[in-house]
Amino acid sequence: MQGLFIGLTALTWKQLVMMAIGGILIYLAIRKEYEPALLLPIGFGTILVNIPFSSVLDQVEGGETVAGALSIFFRAGILTEIFPLLIFVAIGAMIDFSPLFRKPMLLLFGAAAQFGIFFTMIAATLLGFGLKEAAAIGIIGSADGPTSIYVASRFARNLLGPISVAAYSYMALVPIIQPPVIKLLTTKGERRIRMDGNQRPISRTTLILFPILVTLLTGFFAPTAVALIGFLMFGNLVRECGVLKKLSLAAQNELSSLVTLLLGITIASTMTADRFLQLSTLFIIGLGLVAFIFDTAGGVLFAKFLNLFLRRKVNPMVGASGISAFPMSARVIHTMGLKEDSSNYLLMYAVSANVSGQIGSVLAGGLILALVH
Amino acid sequence: MSAAVVRVLRMALAVTAKGMLALFAFMFLFYVLLVVVDRIFQARDK
C-alpha cells in the first residue's frame, strides 16, 4: 500500500517550487500568450519531470536503467541537434528575403543588433562562468530560440533549461523591453525620420540563388556555421523554388508545429529541481535581459553612427529591429514610428532589418561555435 | 578579480572582437552578393 503513495511521500519542496514554475509558464502561455507554442510544453514538461520517480525520465529499477520518454527525446533530438536544425528548415520556409533586396543596406543592422550576445558573454565571465557557459548564456541575445538551444546543447547542457526559458520569455517580452531603450537613446526628431523606398518586385531567379550563394559563402569562410545557415537556407530554397509548394507549406506549418512541440517538452526534461533551482539560473535570467537591452542599443547606436555619413538618414529605431525576434520587433518599431508621426510607415524597413537579424543571429551562433574553444 | 576570471575575460574580449568583426564582414559580403545578384537578374528580367 505504501508503494502507491511513493510519489507523494518522496515529494520535496524544491519539486513543488518547480511545479509552481511550470504552472506560471502555462499561465503566461495561455493568459498572456507569451510564446505559447514553447512555454506551454515547457511548463507542462516541468511539472512532468518534477514528479518523484517520474517515468518520463530515466529511472534505475532493480539495478537496471529504464529509459524515460523525455530522456530518449533529449538524446535523439537535442544532443544530436536534430530538433533545432529541423526548426531552422521551418523558419527558412517562412522567411521572405525580398524586402532585404529593396533596402540591402539594412543587412548591416543584422550584425549590429547582435552586440548584446558578446556584451552578455563578457558580463557572464565577470560573474564567474567559464567561457563556454558564458557564450551559451550570451547567445540568448540572438533572440532566436533554436540558435540558443543549438549553442547551449554544445557548450552548456546543464544550463539548457534556464537558457531556453530566458530566450523564449524575453522574445515574448520584446514589446516591453525595446521601447524604453530606444527612447533613451534617440531624440523625438530622430524617431520621426522618414525613410524612402520602393516596392519593386524581385526576380524569382534572384530569390532562388540567394539561399544557395549564402550557404556557399558561409561554408567557404566559416564551415562550423554551415549546419545552422545551411538548414535555414534549405528551408528558404524550398519556399522560393516554386515547385515544392506542398513541402514549403508543410515545413511552415506541420513541421514547425510538431518540432516546436517536441522541442518544448524535451527541453523541460532539463528543468528538474536539482538543476534549475540554483543561483546560476537567476544570473542567467538577469543576463538574458541584459542581452536584449544591449542588442537593441547596438542596433540603434549603429544606425546613429551611419547617419553621420549618410545623405538620406536612417530612422535609428529601425536599427533595433536588427534582432531576430520576427516579426515582433518589426511590429514594435512600426507602432513606435506611428506614435511619433501618424503618417510615418516604417514597417517595410523594420521587416527588412528584422529579416537580416534572422540571418545575423544564426551566423552569430555559428561564429560563437567556431571561435570559442 | 581572480587570475582565472581575468584569463576567461581576456578570451571573451578576444572572441567579442573577432566575432563582431566577422559578423560585419559576413553581412557586408551578403550585402555585395545581394546587390550583384539583384542587378544581374533584375536587368535580365527587364
Side-chain angles (χ1 to χ4, degrees):
Chain A
M1 193 66 182
Q2 209 179 1
L4 275 180
F5 300 104
I6 193 164
L8 196 61
T9 52
L11 195 63
T12 63
W13 69 268
K14 284 185 172 182
Q15 286 166 324
L16 276 174
V17 170
M18 286 310 295
M19 286 180 193
I21 290 173
I24 291 169
L25 293 177
I26 293 172
Y27 170 81
L28 291 175
I30 296 172
R31 289 301 292 268
K32 302 282 180 185
E33 293 191 32
Y34 288 171
E35 298 283 340
L38 247 298
L39 291 192
L40 191 131
I42 293 179
F44 190 74
T46 304
I47 295 174
L48 273 181
V49 299
N50 283 289
I51 294 170
F53 312 111
S54 173
S55 60
V56 296
L57 297 177
D58 290 349
Q59 299 291 344
V60 181
E61 283 177 21
E64 260 184 52
T65 304
V66 181
L70 289 191
S71 302
I72 294 171
F73 282 156
F74 188 80
R75 286 191 288 269
I78 305 279
L79 292 189
T80 58
E81 295 153 7
I82 297 280
F83 286 169
L85 290 178
L86 285 175
I87 289 275
F88 281 126
V89 176
I91 295 171
M94 291 177 201
I95 302 177
D96 176 11
F97 283 123
S98 42
L100 260 187
F101 282 90
R102 297 186 188 108
K103 201 82 180 167
M105 191 194 70
L106 297 177
L107 253 173
L108 297 175
F109 292 124
Q114 308 305 321
F115 176 65
I117 296 177
F118 297 100
F119 182 87
T120 307
M121 181 177 68
I122 292 169
T125 60
L126 288 172
L127 287 173
F129 287 98
L131 188 60
K132 284 190 171 178
E133 286 184 334
I137 295 166
I139 208 74
I140 294 172
S142 68
D144 178 346
T147 304
S148 302
I149 293 165
Y150 190 88
V151 174
S153 65
R154 286 263 187 107
F155 282 171
R157 281 175 200 161
N158 55 323
L159 302 179
L160 194 55
I163 286 174
S164 311
V165 170
Y168 282 105
S169 304
Y170 290 130
M171 273 162 62
L173 292 174
V174 159
I176 297 167
I177 299 169
Q178 286 205 310
V181 181
I182 294 168
K183 281 190 177 173
L184 191 73
L185 297 172
T186 54
T187 62
K188 202 169 179 63
E190 285 173 327
R191 294 197 293 274
R192 284 184 164 181
I193 292 176
R194 285 169 180 266
M195 292 171 69
D196 51 359
N198 54 56
Q199 281 294 341
R200 66 181 172 84
I202 305 300
S203 98
R204 191 172 153 225
T205 320
T206 306
L207 291 171
I208 291 173
L209 279 177
F210 185 67
I212 300 171
L213 294 173
V214 164
T215 307
L216 285 173
L217 258 183
T218 311
F220 293 149
F221 294 104
T224 334
V226 162
L228 287 165
I229 283 280
F231 275 70
L232 184 80
M233 292 300 159
F234 169 63
N236 190 250
L237 184 60
V238 170
R239 173 200 174 95
E240 300 296 351
C241 70
V243 291
L244 294 173
K245 281 200 175 118
K246 265 189 180 177
L247 276 189
S248 170
L249 287 174
Q252 292 177 46
N253 298 298
E254 288 83 3
L255 179 70
S256 161
S257 303
L258 273 173
V259 184
T260 303
L261 187 86
L262 286 172
L263 193 66
I265 202 153
T266 306
I267 285 164
S269 69
T270 64
M271 301 270 288
T272 51
D274 56 328
R275 278 193 193 178
F276 196 85
L277 292 182
Q278 292 184 11
L279 189 62
S280 61
T281 301
L282 280 181
F283 283 150
I284 290 167
I285 302 288
L287 286 166
L289 181 61
V290 170
F292 273 67
I293 289 172
F294 279 85
D295 277 346
T296 307
V300 172
L301 293 176
F302 182 67
K304 288 176 73 140
F305 172 72
L306 280 184
N307 278 347
L308 296 175
F309 310 99
L310 292 175
R311 197 163 47 87
R312 286 180 182 172
K313 307 289 181 204
V314 175
N315 189 314
M317 292 199 295
V318 170
S321 50
I323 67 168
S324 177
F326 184 88
M328 190 93 76
S329 183
R331 259 191 247 143
V332 169
I333 303 309
H334 178 63
T335 312
M336 283 185 78
L338 286 178
K339 269 187 192 162
E340 298 294 338
D341 175 354
S342 59
S343 61
N344 192 7
Y345 296 97
L346 294 172
L347 189 65
M348 192 179 82
Y349 311 103
V351 165
S352 302
N354 218 176
V355 168
S356 73
Q358 290 188 297
I359 302 178
S361 66
V362 174
L363 197 56
L367 288 170
I368 289 270
L369 289 176
L371 293 170
V372 174
H373 302 288
Chain B
M1 258 194 293
S2 71
V5 171
V6 172
R7 193 176 55 83
V8 178
L9 182 64
R10 275 194 188 149
M11 286 194 282
L13 286 169
V15 169
T16 299
K18 287 180 198 166
M20 281 307 287
L21 202 66
L23 206 50
F24 272 103
F26 267 110
M27 287 312 219
F28 183 72
L29 267 179
F30 295 160
Y31 168 81
V32 173
L33 185 78
L34 211 92
V35 172
V36 171
V37 174
D38 188 34
R39 287 249 168 99
I40 294 170
F41 290 98
Q42 199 190 356
R44 192 172 288 185
D45 278 3
K46 275 180 186 171

